[in-house]
Amino acid sequence: PLRSVSPRSPARLSLSVYSDFFEMPTASRKELSEWAASLSGHSVSRELKELSTGVVLCHLVEAARPGSVEIRKLATMRSGSDTIANLKLLSVALERVDPSGELAAACDVPLLAKGQPQATLALLQKLHSYFNAENNAELAADGNSRSRSAAAEKKRTRVKPVDAAAEPAAPAGAETLTSAALAELQPALAARRAAAERRAAEMQQLRDERDFYLRKLSLIERAVSRAGNGEGEAEGAGVGALAAEVQRILRCPEEELGSVS
């Protein structure tokens, strides 16, 4: 009999990853791994296994918010106690970064220390969403400031018509009002662009997960078909062997799935 269910089984995903997935802006695994690698300076695969020791996550947060993590206290021996110490160091840093406590709440030290995929994915999604939103707000504020400065400069240097009777002057402050209105629209436009990018990332994430499990279903169907045709009877294959094969397929990680026959 099957003693356990794969952490990446559809049932588990529907209760954990997808529940978090629809509660926060979501990026694809590819986007998350590339973002984490570029920010931390470490190699990060789509499976995110490199994050389990806490070292990469600490470097990522320190790069996004310099001075928030006590990097000198990081342990790199990869023992269980070192991993927990690193993750606790990360949790303290997240409390400094986000006083609301949302980031620290997403840092589930026991699950992260066990390398639980959903806990790791949920934390990385939270960090990606938080720091991207922070950067967008800074860019929008900078854009508004530049728009106001440009409007003021244009108003100061505007040349009046030589013949006021032939060419009436524009109403006072018209250009300034237009620039101010455009500046006010910038945050809304940025939010709409971000929402469109999130929706595109959500669709890509769903497509990736769908293809992953369709591939597993295909492999399971093939195994059941072979068992039904009597293949492998010389080796004593039976119900137990079929169950073991199905379990192996369910537990197979994404990067090894192509080698399963």
Side-chain angles (χ1 to χ4, degrees):
L2 299 177
R3 293 178 297 174
S4 63
V5 178
S6 165
R8 292 202 64 170
S9 68
R12 290 285 296 276
L13 280 169
S14 63
L15 293 175
S16 56
V17 169
Y18 287 150
S19 62
D20 292 336
F21 177 80
F22 287 109
E23 290 175 1
M24 68 176 73
T26 309
S28 67
R29 286 178 180 271
K30 180 175 183 295
E31 182 181 353
L32 286 173
S33 62
E34 291 177 351
W35 175 76
S38 65
L39 202 57
S40 68
H42 292 261
S43 176
V44 180
S45 66
R46 289 181 62 183
E47 291 301 311
L48 311 178
K49 293 179 180 179
E50 297 82 358
L51 307 186
S52 60
T53 65
V55 173
V56 176
L57 287 170
C58 283
H59 281 288
L60 186 156
V61 173
E62 174 64 16
R65 186 67 69 80
S68 60
V69 183
E70 296 182 82
I71 296 295
R72 61 185 178 80
K73 292 186 178 181
L74 272 180
T76 58
M77 299 302 292
R78 295 179 179 272
S79 68
S81 59
D82 285 343
T83 295
I84 291 177
N86 290 342
L87 292 172
K88 287 183 177 179
L89 193 66
L90 173 66
S91 181
V92 171
L94 293 180
E95 290 177 357
R96 296 194 190 103
V97 171
D98 178 25
S100 72
E102 289 188 13
L103 290 182
C107 184
D108 193 323
V109 172
L111 291 182
L112 291 169
K114 293 178 182 177
Q116 213 272 357
Q118 283 76 25
T120 304
L121 179 62
L123 174 59
L124 194 58
Q125 291 279 18
K126 199 76 173 178
L127 293 173
H128 180 267
S129 175
Y130 181 87
F131 288 124
N132 274 3
E134 191 176 65
N135 289 339
N136 288 339
E138 291 176 356
L139 289 174
D142 183 59
N144 289 344
S145 176
R146 291 185 180 183
S147 296
R148 286 192 294 269
S149 298
E153 180 65 22
K154 189 172 183 179
K155 183 180 178 180
R156 284 195 301 269
T157 59
R158 189 171 60 225
V159 178
K160 295 182 179 180
V162 175
D163 187 356
E167 187 176 343
E175 292 181 337
T176 303
L177 287 174
T178 301
S179 299
L182 289 174
E184 290 177 1
L185 287 174
Q186 289 300 320
L189 291 173
R192 287 184 178 274
R193 282 195 295 268
E197 291 172 0
R198 287 197 298 271
R199 284 194 291 270
E202 289 170 7
M203 292 303 298
Q204 184 59 47
Q205 174 79 0
L206 289 174
R207 283 193 291 268
D208 289 346
E209 296 292 345
R210 177 203 63 191
D211 294 344
F212 179 73
Y213 287 105
L214 284 177
R215 174 64 175 153
K216 286 196 173 188
L217 286 174
S218 176
L219 292 171
I220 291 172
E221 288 176 354
R222 192 180 305 171
V224 172
S225 177
R226 286 200 302 266
N229 293 334
E231 296 181 21
E233 290 182 357
E235 290 77 17
V239 175
L242 176 59
E245 176 66 10
V246 171
Q247 189 178 48
R248 184 173 74 91
I249 293 171
L250 288 174
R251 288 180 173 177
C252 184
E254 188 172 2
E255 69 272 12
E256 298 176 9
L257 198 58
S259 63
V260 178
S261 60

